[in-house]
Amino acid sequence: MENHNKKKTIRVVLVDDQTMIRQGLGYVIKMQKDMEVSGEASNGEEAVQIVGEIIPDVVLMDVQMPNMSGIDATREITRLHPSIKVLILTTFDTYDYIVDGIRAGAVGYMLKDSDSQDMLDLIRRAHQGEALFYTATAAKALAEVLQSQQKSDESDSDADFDSALPPLVMFDQLTDRERDVLEQLSYGKRNDQIAQHLLISGGTVKTHIHRILQKMGVEDRTQAVAKAIRYKIVK
């Protein structure tokens, strides 16, 4: 029974150049039965190294740090370890940080002065595979990223695509309704919200999500959204 509970523990790495911030976040996380602080780093370079050694579930990543920024560290971590969920920490609800974070592979962001319970909720939801771009600023940033990718897609030739991209047939296998569901997932919508928006049942939403994950070859919603953004599947 003890081993089973241990498997459920969310392992978190804290990355911030301010010791007091890390201590404050760590104190709150350590109070939770389903979480633990597995490591800490004070800059981006340390973060990439420590995350590579520990392989945590979630990383809380500051943006402005010495040696390597949080955005660059996020990009490297998500490239090397796609299953790790990175949440960007910001002092302000800054549009540019959100856009850069999305493009780097972060699954969401939070403000440093957020309520501790909101922070814990974000960690848990990220761990469960949700993409957490749901505030007005984040929605605007995500829309901008998708729009810019659309324009790039219209102007770039096939030769410009990375040779590592999955076969286009994988994308073509998604039905129109599955694309609708995937787009709603990209905005951090819950199953019940997607059902209400698309006027379908919760069970139907679950079925669509299951098929989306299978067709895209990913394990959870976060990976599906990340791949959708990278490969321009959603509009």
Side-chain angles (χ1 to χ4, degrees), residues 3-4 8 11-12 33 38 42 44-45 59 63 67 73 80 83 85 92 114 150 157 167 171 194 200 212 228 235:
N3 290 335
H4 176 73
K8 295 294 184 181
R11 304 170 70 242
V12 182
K33 293 182 179 180
S38 299
S42 60
E45 288 183 355
V59 178
V63 175
N67 299 332
L80 296 172
S83 65
K85 313 300 190 292
F92 302 102
S114 297
Q150 261 191 313
S157 66
F171 306 152
I194 296 174
I200 57 180
I212 288 169
K235 299 180 179 179

Side-chain angles (χ1 to χ4, degrees), residues 59-208:
V59 178
L60 296 186
M61 180 74 72
D62 188 18
V63 175
Q64 296 182 338
M65 295 182 294
N67 299 332
M68 178 187 285
S69 74
I71 299 299
D72 290 338
T74 296
R75 185 177 296 106
E76 187 69 4
I77 288 171
T78 56
R79 182 183 70 83
L80 296 172
H81 314 286
S83 65
I84 295 177
K85 313 300 190 292
V86 180
L87 290 172
I88 295 293
L89 290 169
T90 65
T91 302
F92 302 102
D93 194 8
T94 307
Y95 175 83
D96 289 341
Y97 286 165
I98 299 169
V99 170
D100 291 342
I102 292 172
R103 287 175 170 154
V107 301
Y109 81 102
M110 61 176 291
L111 302 181
K112 289 184 178 180
D113 61 355
S114 297
D115 183 89
S116 61
Q117 291 303 314
D118 290 338
M119 177 195 72
L120 297 172
D121 180 58
L122 289 178
I123 292 173
R124 292 186 177 103
R125 291 177 63 187
H127 182 245
Q128 291 169 1
E130 294 190 45
L132 309 168
F133 305 116
Y134 54 84
T135 70
T137 304
K140 179 181 177 183
L142 182 57
E144 178 72 19
V145 171
L146 296 176
Q147 184 180 29
S148 66
Q149 289 183 338
Q150 261 191 313
K151 292 179 179 179
S152 175
D153 189 32
E154 292 171 357
S155 60
D156 291 346
S157 66
D158 292 340
D160 292 329
F161 287 102
D162 192 318
S163 60
L165 291 179
L168 292 178
V169 66
M170 177 188 296
F171 306 152
D172 292 339
Q173 288 177 353
L174 293 177
T175 65
D176 290 341
R177 180 57 81 187
E178 287 167 354
R179 287 172 181 266
D180 291 339
V181 171
L182 181 58
E183 183 174 16
Q184 292 300 305
L185 289 177
S186 73
Y187 285 95
K189 297 292 184 63
R190 301 189 305 270
N191 285 10
D192 60 331
Q193 294 174 318
I194 296 174
Q196 183 177 7
H197 180 79
L198 298 178
L199 301 178
I200 57 180
S201 70
T204 300
V205 173
K206 289 183 179 179
T207 298
H208 283 313

Side-chain angles (χ1 to χ4, degrees), residues 208-223:
H208 283 313
I209 293 175
H210 177 70
R211 290 174 178 169
I212 288 169
L213 300 186
Q214 283 187 323
K215 291 179 179 181
M216 294 182 67
V218 295
E219 297 180 358
D220 58 38
R221 300 153 67 109
T222 300
Q223 292 182 18

